[in-house]
Amino acid sequence: MLEHKGSISVCYSDDYLEIAGIGYGPGYDYWGKGYITEAAKAVIRFLFYAVNYRKIIAGCDSGNVGSSKVMEKLGMKQK
């Protein structure tokens, strides 16, 4: 049986506006271990420096403390 370790993806992109949106979800056994934060950092670096986007966005439910912490660690600002 395959174990879901998690995923991260670029779920939105606009080449004209140079904006991308990322989505992520760790497998339950991997919550709070920092894997998603590290993966998101790598994806964001790629989007900024290889693709030359100027803005990366993400969102979550207000009650999703873990996802909010990931975005905070990534330096994202709430709007």
Side-chain angles (χ1 to χ4, degrees), residues 10-37:
V10 177
C11 52
Y12 169 81
S13 65
D14 187 317
D15 292 340
Y16 178 75
L17 296 175
E18 300 172 335
I19 296 173
I22 61 170
Y24 48 82
Y28 180 76
D29 291 341
Y30 299 91
W31 285 9
K33 299 191 187 296
Y35 298 126
I36 290 295
T37 302

Side-chain angles (χ1 to χ4, degrees), residues 12-79:
Y12 169 81
S13 65
D14 187 317
D15 292 340
Y16 178 75
L17 296 175
E18 300 172 335
I19 296 173
I22 61 170
Y24 48 82
Y28 180 76
D29 291 341
Y30 299 91
W31 285 9
K33 299 191 187 296
Y35 298 126
I36 290 295
T37 302
E38 289 305 310
K41 284 179 183 178
V43 170
I44 289 170
R45 275 193 304 272
F46 174 79
L47 291 169
F48 277 137
Y49 300 112
V51 183
N52 295 315
Y53 278 177
R54 62 178 184 80
K55 186 175 185 178
I56 312 302
I57 59 174
C60 70
D61 292 332
S62 60
N64 189 336
V65 176
S67 190
S68 296
K69 285 182 181 179
V70 169
M71 288 185 276
E72 185 178 305
K73 289 176 187 176
L74 295 171
M76 293 182 156
K77 306 284 187 222
Q78 186 177 7
K79 288 194 173 196

